[in-house]
Amino acid sequence: EPEVTQTPSHQVTQMGQEVILRCVPISNHLYFYWYRQILGQKVEFLVSFYNNEISEKSEIFDDQFSVERPDGSNFTLKIRSTKLEDSAMYFCASSGDRGQKSVEKLFFGSGTQLSVL
Amino acid sequence: KQEVTQIPAALSVPEGENLVLNCSFTDSAIYNLQWFRQDPGKGLTSLLLIQSSQREQTSGRLNASLDKSSGRSTLYIAASQPGDSATYLCAVRTVGDKLIFGTGTRLQVFP
């Protein structure tokens, strides 16, 4: 079964550094997402992306965050200047091979554990 | 604002028992509800998706029901096995793009 792949699985960085988390969504999907889960807390929505632009973002997704689909296969999340509170598991997801995002299943990657020291 | 709650928070049962996990949500204006499984330190595996117009979905030993008007869903696991041990999350798809997740039920099935 096709799957969403994320790299790296673990990322350790110093506060204030930039990080880029990478994702390869399922190839024929049209909608892409980033979610995160702080240890012991709920999975939270960050941003959705469709047709090369952000379609929705949460309050968490401030100016320090950006997303990009630099080519036909990769989808990246950049954090410009990391803070301690950015430490979390970051999940990429994709959906919508029929262009009907509201009724289709989301497929999640295995996540990148980001630790900010 | 949509809130999703899951009870119980944790459950420990002997192998072979039939289980019911509960999910409730405050706003019935949803597109669908999805149940996920999360293993420690791992990603989310989709188990079942129920559209707002549906009442239930089945996959193997899993059955999920949805009562949109009362804001409830249940996940029924038949004949539980140690391999079912994981955290089970429900999430509702609302107007817009996002899934709103519950806090999960941590299930342990012991031999």
Side-chain angles (χ1 to χ4, degrees), chain B residues 7-27:
Chain B
I7 54 172
L11 189 59
S12 182
V13 299
E15 183 176 9
E17 279 207 4
N18 300 324
L19 309 170
V20 176
L21 308 182
N22 297 291
C23 172
S24 61
F25 46 96
T26 54
D27 186 346

Side-chain angles (χ1 to χ4, degrees), chain B residues 34-55:
Chain B
Q34 200 165 346
W35 281 93
F36 293 89
R37 169 186 173 137
Q38 184 176 28
D39 293 282
K42 299 293 176 70
L44 307 175
T45 302
S46 180
L47 298 173
L48 290 163
L49 171 70
I50 312 178
Q51 303 299 344
S52 61
S53 58
Q54 297 175 324
R55 298 285 293 182

Side-chain angles (χ1 to χ4, degrees), chain A residues 4-7 21-25 33-34 73-76 92-93:
Chain A
V4 176
T5 57
Q6 289 186 243
T7 56
L21 309 183
R22 302 181 191 279
C23 170
V24 179
Y33 310 85
W34 285 99
S73 59
N74 292 286
F75 181 51
T76 61
C92 174

Side-chain angles (χ1 to χ4, degrees), chain A residues 33 35 37 42-45 48-49 55-56 89 91 95 101-111, chain B residues 3-4 31-32 34 36 38 41-44 46-49 51 89 93 95-99 101-103:
Chain A
Y33 310 85
Y35 286 77
Q37 186 177 32
K42 292 185 180 185
V43 177
E44 305 172 286
F45 169 79
S48 58
F49 191 86
S55 47
E56 188 174 350
M89 178 76 93
F91 295 108
S95 74
K101 63 174 179 175
S102 63
V103 299
E104 292 176 36
K105 192 182 292 190
L106 260 68
F107 292 85
F108 281 77
S110 55
Chain B
E3 296 282 345
V4 181
Y31 285 121
N32 56 52
Q34 200 165 346
F36 293 89
Q38 184 176 28
K42 299 293 176 70
L44 307 175
S46 180
L47 298 173
L48 290 163
L49 171 70
Q51 303 299 344
L89 302 174
R93 184 74 174 259
V95 174
D97 285 345
K98 58 190 174 192
L99 289 181
F101 282 82
T103 44

Side-chain angles (χ1 to χ4, degrees), chain A residues 19 52 70 75 83 94 96 106-107:
Chain A
V19 294
N52 284 318
F75 181 51
K83 307 184 192 73
S94 68
L106 260 68
F107 292 85

